Amino acid sequence: MNEQNRIISVAKKTIETESKAIMYLAELVDEEFAAAVQYIYQSKGRVIVTGIGKSANIATKIVATLNSTGTPSVFMHAADAIHGDLGTIQENDTVICISKSGNTAEIKVLVPLIKAIDNKLIGITSNKDSFLGQQADFILNAYVEKEACPNNLAPTTSTTAQLVIGDALAMCLLDLRGFSSKDFAKFHPGGSLGKKLYLRVSDLTSLNEKPEVHPDTDVKKVIVEISEKLLGVTAVVENNKIVGIITDGDLRRMLTRVDSFAGLTARDIMSQNPKVIDNDAMAVEAMELMDKHGITQLLAEHNGKYCGVVHIHNLTKEGII
């Protein structure tokens, strides 16, 4: 087998091993899992997630997922906890401890300390009969038969299983809380995902100049309006209602048709029935409309009144595209 084929073979085997382990996890979800979720949901405190080694890395991701979906959470490294950080745990907090073996030295020191301050302990482990498994109030079974590592040493399948259990826990809490896309946007105001959920066309049109001309405006003034407003377009407006649009492209086409534009007005060169979007629509809808029609600007209106222009550059700058 050549090197390229060997690489492909190892990659596929790794994915297949981990995928089989994940599928088996579904059979391990039981009443104790449900009880742990219900306890967290009814708790007035935070979720403290701890672990050692690679499990600590997984813990930080689970904390991020919980926080972003409505469950206040804090990461506490197991080694640091037994050297001064145990004060992270407050009254009413629930502690989730992650450990594949459930028998590491740090876990054996930390677990009794947690129990002593009377906080509920949830264990995520591959070994229900371990020290952690015996001491935890709830066990979330993350059993895996073997690691994807050919030596069965490097944490691979086991950490994937821990991550999946954490995701399942977070999604159950999300469901119980009725956490909506609007809630998600509140927790992700600066990210592109959040912006797709809360950013409106009005947020973008307010950033731009508002180019407009009357149907009887002469072409020279139309050119000036488009140039000054820097959007490559102007709305043709009568009684505050959009009646047409003139783009840079319309001006170029006009110049190929006439030797002189003296006497021409906006009405003579405008395109009627332009693509328009409501100013209260979501910005992502503007993106979809531009993409559908192969255009880079949209006129915005509200209650039949012209509001401004949204440009594809606005969407790019905000990370919508």
Side-chain angles (χ1 to χ4, degrees), residues 189-208:
S192 61
L193 288 175
K195 288 183 178 181
K196 287 181 179 180
L197 294 169
Y198 79 82
L199 199 68
R200 296 187 179 274
V201 171
S202 57
D203 297 318
L204 303 178
T205 55
S206 63
L207 301 174
N208 297 329

Side-chain angles (χ1 to χ4, degrees), residues 275-321:
K275 299 295 180 293
V276 176
I277 192 166
D278 193 280
N279 209 38
D280 278 348
M282 306 307 295
V284 69
E285 295 178 49
M287 178 195 71
E288 291 168 354
L289 195 57
M290 288 184 193
D291 184 61
K292 178 181 178 181
H293 295 285
I295 55 180
T296 57
Q297 309 106 331
L298 279 173
L299 302 183
E301 65 177 9
H302 186 61
N303 293 330
K305 295 183 178 181
Y306 173 55
C307 297
V309 176
V310 57
H311 196 284
I312 195 168
H313 292 161
N314 301 131
L315 300 173
T316 303
K317 186 175 180 180
E318 295 295 336
I320 300 296
I321 297 177

Side-chain angles (χ1 to χ4, degrees), residues 36-47:
V37 172
Q38 289 170 326
Y39 183 83
I40 294 173
Y41 176 63
Q42 294 165 3
S43 171
K44 296 180 180 179
R46 306 162 302 167
V47 175

Side-chain angles (χ1 to χ4, degrees), residues 88-163:
T88 301
I89 306 173
Q90 302 295 310
E91 186 180 3
N92 297 320
D93 286 347
T94 303
V95 181
I96 297 177
C97 187
I98 308 174
S99 172
K100 178 190 176 184
S101 71
N103 288 314
T104 59
E106 292 85 358
I107 297 302
K108 286 185 175 181
V109 174
L110 177 60
V111 166
L113 297 174
I114 295 171
K115 300 287 285 184
I117 56 179
D118 205 29
N119 290 80
K120 290 293 184 182
L121 176 63
I122 298 172
I124 299 179
T125 181
S126 294
N127 184 3
K128 292 187 69 175
D129 296 324
S130 65
F131 180 82
L132 175 60
Q134 295 298 316
Q135 295 295 315
D137 297 290
F138 306 95
I139 283 294
L140 308 186
N141 196 342
Y143 173 78
V144 295
E145 183 179 355
K146 61 180 179 179
E147 300 287 5
C149 167
N151 300 313
N152 199 31
L153 294 174
T156 44
T157 310
S158 60
T159 48
T160 300
Q162 293 166 357
L163 186 61

